[in-house]
Amino acid sequence: MRVTEHPILGTYQKGRKVQFTFDGKSMEGYEGEPIAAALRAAGVTTHRYTTKKHEPRGIFCAIGRCTDCVMIVDGRPNIRTCITPLREGMRIQTQYGIEAKEI
Amino acid sequence: MVRYDLIIVGAGPAGLSAAIIAAKQGVRTAVFDENERPGGQLFKQIHKFFGSREHRAKVRGFRIGEQLLEEARECGVEVHLNATVMGLYDKKEVLVMADGETHHFKADAIILATGARENFIPFAGWTLPGVMGAGAAQTMVNLHGVQPGSRVLMVGTGNVGLVVSYQLMQAGIQVEALIDAAPRVGGYGVHAAKLARLGVPFYLSHTIVKAEGTDKVTGAVIAQVDEKFQPIPGTEKHFDVDTICMAVGLSPMSELPAMAGCQMEDKGGAVPKVDACGETSIPGIFAAGDAAGIEEASSAMITGQIAGIAAARRLGYVDEEMFEAETDRLRASLQKLHEGMFSPQNRGRNDFTETDEGYPISQSLLHKGYMEDQEITRYPGAVSGKSGVHPVIECSQNIPCDPCQDACKFGCIRVGDEITRLPCVNEEAKCTGCGLCVASCSGQAIFLVDETYDEEHAAVTLPYEFLPYPQAGDKGVALGRDGREVCEAEVVSLKINKAMDQTALLTIKVPREMAMTARFFKKKEA
């Protein structure tokens, strides 16, 4: 859920609303916010599945250090979604190992 | 290859402070930071900082970030963003990745202000989505305005765990409990007390056993630990949470000095060995802030300045006399933050039984997060049984800060020059009830109490940082320090102005005998 009004910060400065897709499904977020923030606000928690054990992973450090939140963005794998800004029309896919499709 | 006099890695509090002081001396300075925005972790710090005026006390962290950026702009510091420093080589050559390409830079001095990363502890289910760093949750809500979850278990009661828990609550997230394997709350008691009076329970000597769920966290199990920190079977407790945050310490990010060949040592994580100015074993390479040893942002700004002025001297921009004067001033300022029971040399110690002045420390505060009613008047800031309005300062530990004595223009409050001393209330001075002390206390530990408000009631003014604001006439219940409902209460007023910087002053009236008990307000649901 998004925080709309905050006792200290007031309102959040956000970019314009943009459309993107997550595994083919159309979603909305704000331009410039991290992909991970837009996904979390849209209810997505699993960003990828590990190669060997097929375990889910999501946001863990949120500052680009741990690489747990990597996904396939516009066809490129291993994109750190917590620090990569959302742009209009981005194609975001769950990452399986380092692939887009379920192995 | 572009050359600078000074290259600083990291545009957080230490790096920016170093850049500003060096650039003011004419040093041609460039700062590289891998993030899209400068400020390091300052912009997610929405609480008021501790320290004294010279440390920018009672200013919220993100505003300090804005101030530093403005100063850096004014003195011509070049800040390169989205620029990851990948390598630090012989002869101070710096390799930077930006826009998918590598670039070479060179400088005569380098300051490494790369900050820290969060630590984690492994437990069953710790890799599930929904388990994250406390700092990660803080980033999500405060920077991006997105709730990481709706119900949180916080693991760790150091200042990060306490402060982030409170900030999650401010963003409308329920913190179900804080746990810590240690037997006592690790961070400032005043931060714990803010949570306790909201009704958040503390489980000390408890560890997390597992995160439940298959695709994401759906619950958490904790258990009490024995003296060897092993879970005691049969003591398990379950929480319905969707998020588990870990606030179990930070580690310095010291890859670059190690790569450059600086001598390293272990100070809660590998850090380069540095002298009193932050200079490493390689002349001209300095480290500052958390990268040189974990502390907090206020001291990082000072160690950054010390490294900045030392680099300027090494480059010939500052003479010996000025260098001595500046470093003396800065070290004195740093020393003020390094006094008291929470100082770096006391890290890991939680066996203090009394304050520097000899007042007993509340065991209830250390074990449950709040002081018992009868303990409050032990301390020199808390008097009761007076007529008229007066401050009650529930400050019981030697924490480095003194905004309360600056806030009162009428001489009611005195801390003295040693800012870790407990504030004393001067009973002779006349309190006007302005409430500026209440808003100035970074620990939200000051209340105004008027035990003679009317025939039957006392008025209690408390700091209030939640939405929606209660309005005059609203009826509800007063909560005690332990978060339990203690009596009926009615809102007398809610005041907020610029000087209070988003800390509203909520005045409630309660039965007179509750003057020293009622410490929070909950509106009755319509």
Side-chain angles (χ1 to χ4, degrees):
Chain A
M1 278 235 308
R2 291 193 185 267
V3 185
T4 45
E5 217 190 347
H6 191 282
I8 310 302
L9 297 165
T11 52
Y12 293 81
Q13 291 227 329
K14 289 282 182 186
R16 67 186 175 110
K17 237 179 206 174
V18 292
Q19 300 280 327
F20 66 97
T21 62
F22 166 68
D23 287 345
K25 203 173 132 204
S26 184
M27 287 184 173
E28 258 182 5
Y30 292 98
E31 187 172 56
E33 72 180 349
I35 293 169
L39 287 174
R40 187 67 196 83
V44 177
T45 51
T46 299
H47 289 218
R48 68 181 181 103
Y49 289 90
T50 57
T51 313
K52 290 183 189 165
K53 295 188 179 172
H54 198 69
E55 288 175 344
R57 295 284 191 271
I59 297 168
F60 193 63
C61 83
I63 54 169
R65 296 250 64 84
C66 75
T67 70
D68 237 15
C69 70
V70 299
M71 299 179 86
I72 296 169
V73 176
D74 291 337
R76 289 178 63 197
N78 292 334
I79 301 297
R80 292 177 292 174
T81 55
C82 69
I83 55 161
T84 304
L86 182 71
R87 303 284 173 228
E88 173 86 60
M90 264 183 170
R91 207 155 44 83
I92 295 150
Q93 290 167 281
T94 306
Q95 184 169 319
Y96 297 85
I98 52 163
E99 320 257 329
K101 287 255 158 39
E102 193 152 5
I103 307 158
Chain B
M1 173 154 40
V2 180
R3 292 191 70 108
Y4 292 95
D5 290 333
L6 171 63
I7 285 177
I8 297 173
V9 187
L16 287 176
S17 301
I20 291 163
I21 202 168
K24 276 184 180 163
Q25 302 306 319
V27 179
R28 205 168 153 249
T29 306
V31 184
F32 291 96
D33 194 294
E34 66 180 336
N35 296 292
E36 201 191 14
R37 288 201 277 186
Q41 307 310 313
L42 272 176
F43 283 94
K44 66 188 192 196
Q45 311 301 333
I46 61 166
H47 54 285
K48 293 179 176 177
F49 275 31
F50 286 76
S52 203
R53 186 174 296 170
E54 68 194 64
H55 311 108
R56 308 181 198 234
K58 84 166 180 170
V59 180
R60 297 187 188 273
F62 68 98
R63 296 200 206 285
I64 295 177
E66 286 161 5
Q67 291 170 1
L68 287 179
L69 288 182
E70 180 59 31
E71 288 170 37
R73 256 193 304 275
E74 276 169 12
C75 53
V77 174
E78 275 182 42
V79 181
H80 300 261
L81 301 170
N82 295 312
T84 307
V85 174
M86 301 169 66
L88 176 55
Y89 302 101
D90 197 24
K91 305 210 167 47
K92 304 187 180 67
E93 191 179 330
V94 175
L95 182 67
V96 178
M97 167 80 97
D99 301 324
E101 285 176 27
T102 53
H103 306 267
H104 289 256
F105 295 90
K106 222 165 146 6
D108 296 315
I110 306 276
I111 297 175
L112 301 168
T114 45
R117 70 167 70 85
E118 293 193 271
N119 293 342
F120 296 97
I121 47 167
F123 52 88
W126 76 297
T127 56
L128 276 176
V131 179
M132 65 182 73
Q138 191 187 28
T139 300
M140 294 299 286
V141 283
N142 293 346
L143 284 185
H144 309 309
V146 173
Q147 296 176 338
S150 56
R151 292 184 312 280
V152 172
L153 176 75
M154 180 65 68
V155 180
T157 63
N159 276 334
V160 172
L162 299 173
V163 165
V164 173
S165 293
Y166 188 75
Q167 292 176 0
L168 293 176
M169 301 278 285
Q170 287 180 302
I173 298 162
Q174 184 58 36
V175 177
E176 295 291 334
L178 284 90
I179 69 165
D180 202 311
R184 297 171 189 90
V185 170
Y188 295 168
V190 287
H191 282 320
K194 283 171 9 191
L195 289 160
R197 63 181 179 251
L198 298 175
V200 180
F202 284 75
Y203 293 88
L204 281 302
S205 296
H206 276 73
T207 192
I208 180 148
V209 178
K210 67 172 174 185
E212 298 172 332
T214 45
D215 291 331
K216 59 185 178 185
V217 174
T218 55
V221 176
I222 67 166
Q224 201 179 329
V225 294
D226 60 22
E227 317 77 71
K228 290 178 182 147
F229 298 104
Q230 296 307 305
I232 302 169
T235 62
E236 292 84 0
K237 273 188 194 65
H238 173 269
F239 291 92
D240 274 327
V241 293
D242 57 13
T243 307
I244 298 167
C245 288
M246 277 186 269
V248 290
L250 301 168
S251 290
M253 295 211 276
S254 52
E255 295 85 352
L256 289 172
M259 180 182 199
C262 299
Q263 275 182 38
M264 305 294 284
E265 63 179 328
D266 195 320
K267 265 171 55 182
V271 289
K273 268 190 183 170
V274 292
D275 67 10
C277 289
E279 194 160 14
T280 68
S281 59
I282 301 176
I285 297 183
F286 299 80
D290 278 354
I294 302 298
E295 287 195 35
E296 35 68 57
S298 303
S299 38
M301 289 188 273
I302 303 176
T303 57
Q305 289 181 76
I306 293 174
I309 202 77
R313 175 184 69 155
R314 185 161 279 288
L315 298 167
Y317 286 88
V318 170
D319 64 23
E320 205 60 24
E321 195 182 333
M322 182 179 177
F323 168 74
E324 293 291 343
E326 280 290 283
T327 48
D328 282 354
R329 174 183 69 84
L330 291 164
R331 286 209 191 97
S333 185
L334 186 61
Q335 188 53 40
K336 282 191 179 179
L337 298 176
H338 281 179
E339 303 284 348
M341 49 190 68
F342 292 99
S343 67
Q345 63 269 25
N346 289 330
R347 180 165 298 144
R349 270 189 70 179
N350 53 12
D351 54 342
F352 290 97
T353 55
E354 53 181 45
T355 68
D356 292 348
E357 300 90 338
Y359 296 105
I361 290 173
S362 163
Q363 293 304 304
S364 173
L365 181 65
L366 296 176
H367 293 112
K368 294 187 277 189
Y370 58 89
M371 287 195 276
E372 302 284 357
D373 286 3
Q374 67 274 14
E375 292 177 321
I376 301 296
T377 48
R378 280 179 187 170
Y379 302 101
V383 285
S384 74
K386 276 184 70 171
S387 72
V389 64
H390 60 94
V392 172
I393 308 184
E394 307 194 350
C395 183
S396 65
Q397 292 173 320
N398 299 114
I399 294 169
C401 66
D402 69 350
C404 55
Q405 72 175 348
D406 287 346
C408 186
K409 303 291 174 235
F410 307 96
C412 282
I413 303 171
R414 186 172 156 72
V415 176
D417 292 333
E418 210 177 307
I419 64 169
T420 45
R421 291 265 155 181
L422 300 190
C424 301
V425 168
N426 175 4
E427 294 191 49
E428 306 304 312
K430 175 85 184 114
C431 171
T432 65
C434 73
L436 284 178
C437 57
V438 177
S440 78
C441 178
S442 308
Q444 297 187 16
I446 306 184
F447 303 84
L448 293 183
V449 172
D450 182 353
E451 287 156 80
T452 50
Y453 177 73
D454 66 22
E455 289 297 302
E456 291 156 20
H457 294 97
V460 177
T461 300
L462 49 96
Y464 197 86
E465 293 190 348
F466 293 89
L467 291 180
Y469 287 140
Q471 302 298 320
D474 281 354
K475 294 199 169 50
V477 288
L479 308 183
R481 294 180 186 84
D482 56 2
R484 275 197 281 256
E485 297 182 1
V486 291
C487 60
E488 295 200 336
E490 183 184 327
V491 175
V492 174
S493 66
L494 182 119
K495 275 195 281 182
I496 183 148
N497 65 33
K498 197 156 182 280
M500 298 166 189
D501 190 9
Q502 303 303 118
T503 307
L505 304 187
L506 178 69
T507 304
I508 55 173
K509 92 180 168 183
V510 292
R512 191 178 273 186
E513 66 276 14
M514 289 296 162
M516 292 300 281
T517 301
R519 286 300 176 262
F520 204 70
F521 174 77
K522 197 166 85 179
K523 194 176 162 176
K524 215 176 278 171
E525 301 296 331

